C-alpha cells in the first residue's frame, strides 16, 4: 500500500450534504476515495454501484488518501478520546509472608 493511503469508515449523519446523492454525485472518486462497502442498517452492500443513493446513517468503508478522508470529518467529531484516569489505590494491604507461615507450622 502506498504511503498516505488507507482504509477508514465514513459515517453519513443526518443533515449531511451526501444524503440523496448517488455515489458518483458525491465526487469522492475525484478526491481519490473509493467506496469498498456500504453498511445500511443490517444490510452489507459490497462494491456498491455508482448509482446507489446515500441515506442518513449509512456507513461507508473507504480506501483512499487519508488526508482527504480526514477532511470529511466534521470539526466537532474530531475530538480525541480522553483516557479514563482512575485514582491509584495507595493503601498497602499486609499479607502474611508464606515463609513465615511455613516456619510457624
Amino acid at each position: 500500500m502506498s504511503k498516505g493511503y488507507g482504509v477508514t469508515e465514513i459515517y453519513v449523519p443526518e443533515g449531511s450534504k451526501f444524503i440523496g446523492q448517488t455515489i458518483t454525485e458525491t465526487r469522492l472518486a475525484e478526491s481519490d476515495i473509493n467506496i469498498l462497502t456500504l453498511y445500511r442498517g443490517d444490510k452489507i452492500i459490497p462494491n456498491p454501484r455508482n448509482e446507489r443513493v446515500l441515506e442518513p446513517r449509512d456507513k461507508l468503508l473507504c480506501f483512499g488518501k487519508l488526508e482527504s478522508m480526514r477532511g470529511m470529518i466534521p470539526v466537532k467529531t474530531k475530538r480525541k478520546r480522553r483516557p479514563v484516569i482512575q485514582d491509584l489505590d495507595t493503601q498497602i494491604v499486609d499479607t502474611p509472608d508464606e515463609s513465615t507461615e511455613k516456619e510457624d507450622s
Side-chain angles (χ1 to χ4, degrees):
M1 189 169 3
S2 299
K3 207 169 196 174
Y5 284 79
V7 176
T8 192
E9 195 172 82
I10 298 172
Y11 178 68
V12 181
E14 293 280 349
S16 169
K17 65 180 181 180
F18 292 143
I19 294 172
Q21 291 186 359
T22 64
I23 290 174
T24 301
E25 291 170 336
T26 64
R27 301 171 74 169
L28 291 172
E30 291 177 20
S31 298
D32 211 11
I33 299 172
N34 299 303
I35 300 174
L36 304 174
T37 305
L38 169 65
Y39 299 96
R40 179 173 289 159
D42 293 337
K43 288 184 186 176
I44 299 172
I45 305 166
N47 302 314
R49 298 183 184 267
N50 288 329
E51 301 81 37
R52 173 83 56 185
V53 176
L54 298 180
E55 298 178 4
R57 296 180 299 280
D58 280 349
K59 290 184 207 166
L60 311 172
L61 182 65
C62 300
F63 172 80
K65 286 184 178 178
L66 292 172
E67 198 58 40
S68 296
M69 291 188 281
R70 276 189 206 107
M72 297 177 61
I73 301 171
V75 175
K76 68 179 184 178
T77 61
K78 282 188 180 179
R79 5 175 237 158
K80 293 189 177 190
R81 293 183 186 178
R82 294 185 179 173
V84 177
I85 300 173
Q86 298 177 346
D87 290 333
L88 181 62
D89 187 9
T90 57
Q91 188 175 27
I92 299 174
V93 179
D94 289 333
T95 56
D97 188 18
E98 287 182 24
S99 60
T100 310
E101 288 180 11
K102 289 179 184 175
E103 289 175 8
D104 292 342
S105 307

